[in-house]
Amino acid sequence: MDMQFYAGASLALFLAYSVKSSTGLGSALIAVPLLGLIMNFKDAVAFDMLFEAAAGILLISHCFKFVNWPVFLILSIGSFIGVPLGTEALKKFSVEFIGITIGVVAAGFGIMMLAVDTTCYKIPVKNKIAGLAAGFVGGVFKGMCGMGGPPVTAYCNYVFEDKATIRATLIAVFAVSSFQRLALYLKVGLVPEHLYLPFFALLPVFLIATFFGPKIFAIFNENTFRKTVAIIIVATGLLSIYKGLIK
C-alpha cells in the first residue's frame, strides 16, 4: 500500500463516515465505490466492513435511547436472513460483477435521493411484512457489497418523521448487520490479511470523521447537504460501473 492509496482511502473514509455519523446513512454507499477505484472491489467491501463494525460500537452508545426497537427488530430479522445469502454471492461472483452491482445500487439510490422526497410518504409502523422485506433485501446487498442501506433507509423515512429516530434506528440496524458480516467474512476467508495494517493505520481518519464530521457538516443547509451527498453517491456509483465494465 503506497501513499496514493492512503490519500485516496483517507478521503473515502472521511466523506463516508462524516455522512454516516451525521445522518445514519450507510457508509458503503460512498466508501466502497471510492475504495474500489484504488483496490479490488471485493477487498473494498471487506475493508469498509471493518470500519462499519467499529462505527457500530462507537455510535450505538450515543443514540441508544432514540432507537425505535420494534422497527429495529423487524428490520434486523429480515437482515439476519439476507446477509448470509449476500455473503455467499460476494464469495462466488466475479470482481467485475460486484463492482457493477456496487455502482448500480449507489447510483440508483443517489438518483432517488435527488428525485424523491421520501418525507412526503408515510406507511404504518405495524406493516411488518414491508419491514421484513426491506431488512431482507438490505441484508442480501449488505452481505454482497456492503450496501444494505437503500431499502432500510427508505422504510425508516416512510415510517418516521423524527430525524433522530431515523438516524438512531439506522445506526442500530447497520451495527448489528456489520457484526454479523464480520463473523461471516472471517469464517469464509473474505478478509485478506493485507487489509489489517491499513485498517489500523487509517483508524485516526475514521475517528476524526465519526466525531467531528457532524460538526463540520452542520454548517451546511440540510437541503444543500442532502443534494451534495446524493451527487457524490451518483458520481461514485457511475465510476464503479465504468471500472467494472472496462476490466
Side-chain angles (χ1 to χ4, degrees), residues 13-244:
L13 292 170
F14 183 80
L15 285 173
Y17 286 93
S18 293
V19 172
K20 180 180 178 68
S21 58
S22 301
T23 66
L25 192 68
S27 60
L29 284 164
I30 297 174
V32 173
L34 287 176
L35 290 169
L37 299 176
I38 56 176
M39 64 196 305
N40 178 301
F41 275 117
K42 289 191 177 185
D43 284 356
V45 172
F47 192 52
D48 179 63
M49 179 274 303
L50 295 174
F51 290 100
E52 279 257 14
I57 296 172
L58 291 176
L59 295 175
I60 192 65
S61 61
H62 295 287
C63 61
F64 194 83
K65 65 180 180 179
F66 297 107
V67 176
N68 184 293
W69 295 107
V71 171
F72 162 81
L73 182 61
I74 292 169
L75 290 169
S76 294
I77 290 172
S79 177
F80 188 81
I81 298 169
V83 167
L85 299 177
T87 301
E88 189 64 22
L90 175 62
K91 185 179 179 181
K92 290 187 174 181
F93 289 140
S94 69
V95 171
E96 293 76 20
F97 180 83
I98 297 298
I100 293 169
T101 302
I102 287 168
V104 170
V105 174
F109 185 69
I111 292 170
M112 186 187 78
M113 286 180 67
L114 288 169
V116 180
D117 182 5
T118 56
T119 60
C120 295
Y121 306 94
K122 300 296 167 193
I123 59 178
V125 176
K126 294 183 179 180
N127 193 334
K128 296 180 181 179
I129 295 177
L132 286 170
F136 174 76
V137 174
V140 171
F141 280 100
K142 196 77 171 174
M144 179 176 164
C145 57
M147 296 181 174
V152 175
T153 302
Y155 181 78
C156 285
N157 276 316
Y158 292 156
V159 169
F160 304 120
E161 293 183 3
D162 180 59
K163 289 182 174 61
T165 302
I166 294 172
R167 175 180 177 273
T169 304
L170 288 175
I171 287 172
V173 172
F174 294 150
V176 171
S177 67
S178 293
F179 300 150
Q180 183 187 12
R181 286 172 65 212
L182 177 61
L184 288 173
Y185 283 21
L186 289 172
K187 180 180 179 181
V188 301
L190 284 172
V191 186
E193 290 185 3
H194 67 261
L195 295 182
Y196 293 125
L197 178 59
F199 167 70
F200 287 111
L202 290 167
L203 270 178
V205 175
F206 158 76
L207 292 171
I208 290 170
T210 299
F211 289 109
F212 295 104
K215 295 179 175 62
I216 295 171
F217 284 102
I219 65 177
F220 293 99
N221 172 273
E222 182 179 344
N223 189 49
T224 302
F225 175 69
R226 176 186 173 86
K227 288 182 177 179
T228 302
V229 169
I231 291 170
I232 292 171
I233 292 173
V234 172
T236 56
L238 293 176
L239 286 171
S240 294
I241 294 172
Y242 174 73
K243 184 179 178 182

